Amino acid sequence: METRNDGSLPVYLQIVELIVRDLAAGRLVDGEKLAPERKLAAELNVAVGTLRKALTELETRGLLERRHGSGNYVRAIADPASVYTMFRLELIEGGSLPTARTISVDLMAKPDVLPDFGTSAKAHRIRRRRFVGKRFAALEEIWLDAAYAETLTMTDLSESLYLHYRTRLGLWITRAEDRIGLGRVPDWTPDDFGLASGAPVPEVQRISFDRDGESAEFSYTWFDPAVVRYVARLK
């Protein structure tokens, strides 16, 4: 388990999200006992008080059972209310916390190569590095219809764009459609990505919809299959 101190989520919520993803990936199993609190806090490099706040949140969500004199036991539930519910990339070994670093944000006319989405002729193009468990795993190019925001800047954006949309723009992304195929690493790829520009790579194209059923966003994700895999769990 790892946490970041520079993420957009409070550290205690980063711990919650990490445990949720590890449960989903099977790195933690239903009924498994967590390490003692002081030991777990040391492993996560957080204060015991921060860990206890995370454990309280997990208990509130029904994801933790605290047994007096015995310890803390995780519980798997159908809907853990995760910030990263729609984030489908996991490390090959499973789980781990996703984070992101924005490369650029530009408002521009929608290119003809994009599918129809939204109502504006313009969109905010957001390019990001995507990390999973601190490993550089993917590149993202996100196009948010300009009707939802007049301006966007790099400093505006948080690591969870859907959380940012909801809290800052009043935009609730309630569902998405993913299409997975073979693409190529874009020509704007940073030098530290594991694959060179133009190399064949798995590509995810996603159209995201708001709570009224209107298409709001289109995105590309190019991911390094040596680092992560795409996982969709069906229930």
Side-chain angles (χ1 to χ4, degrees):
M1 296 183 183
E2 299 171 323
T3 60
R4 286 169 56 97
N5 291 323
D6 58 348
S8 60
L9 295 179
V11 173
Y12 83 95
L13 285 181
Q14 293 179 42
I15 296 170
V16 171
E17 293 295 335
L18 182 61
I19 290 176
V20 167
R21 284 177 59 80
D22 281 353
L23 270 168
R27 296 178 73 183
L28 290 171
V29 298
D30 184 48
E32 183 171 344
K33 183 179 180 180
L34 295 178
E37 291 180 5
R38 292 192 180 278
K39 181 179 179 181
L40 185 56
E43 291 175 357
L44 294 170
N45 193 29
V46 299
V48 173
T50 300
L51 174 65
R52 287 175 177 164
K53 191 172 182 180
L55 296 177
T56 298
E57 177 66 21
L58 287 165
E59 185 179 28
T60 299
R61 296 189 191 185
L63 290 160
L64 188 80
E65 180 183 351
R66 306 175 95 164
R67 300 178 189 172
H68 182 70
S70 178
N72 299 309
Y73 297 80
V74 294
R75 293 298 183 204
I77 62 174
D79 183 9
S82 171
V83 170
Y84 297 110
T85 298
M86 294 188 188
F87 185 75
R88 300 300 186 189
L89 299 184
E90 294 181 356
L91 291 178
I92 298 298
E93 57 269 29
S96 290
L97 187 70
T99 54
R101 297 177 190 169
T102 304
I103 297 172
S104 64
V105 180
D106 299 287
L107 177 63
M108 59 181 62
K110 294 176 181 175
D112 292 338
V113 295
L114 299 184
D116 290 335
F117 70 98
T119 59
S120 175
K122 294 184 177 182
H124 299 281
R125 186 190 68 188
I126 305 164
R127 288 176 170 172
R128 307 200 301 173
R129 291 177 171 91
R130 200 50 137 143
F131 298 82
V132 182
K134 295 187 178 181
R135 298 178 65 185
F136 192 176
L139 297 168
E140 294 177 330
E141 184 172 282
I142 302 130
W143 295 82
L144 173 67
D145 188 75
Y148 293 96
E150 293 183 2
T151 60
L152 279 182
T153 67
M154 289 179 62
T155 55
D156 286 336
L157 300 177
S158 62
E159 287 181 337
S160 172
L161 286 184
Y162 289 174
L163 179 62
H164 175 83
Y165 294 166
R166 187 166 72 239
T167 58
R168 300 292 183 87
L169 306 180
L171 167 60
W172 292 69
I173 298 296
T174 57
R175 67 182 180 92
E177 176 182 302
D178 286 356
R179 297 184 180 185
I180 305 174
L182 184 65
R184 293 192 178 274
V185 177
D187 57 10
W188 51 267
T189 183
D191 292 338
D192 53 342
F193 190 50
L195 298 168
S197 175
V201 67
E203 176 186 274
V204 182
Q205 296 185 16
R206 169 177 288 188
I207 295 183
S208 302
F209 299 86
D210 65 18
R211 55 186 169 185
D212 296 321
E214 300 296 329
S215 55
E217 178 199 74
F218 176 78
S219 67
Y220 296 99
T221 299
W222 301 274
F223 66 89
D224 185 344
V227 178
V228 291
R229 59 188 174 184
Y230 181 97
V231 179
R233 294 182 173 86
L234 306 180
K235 298 180 180 179

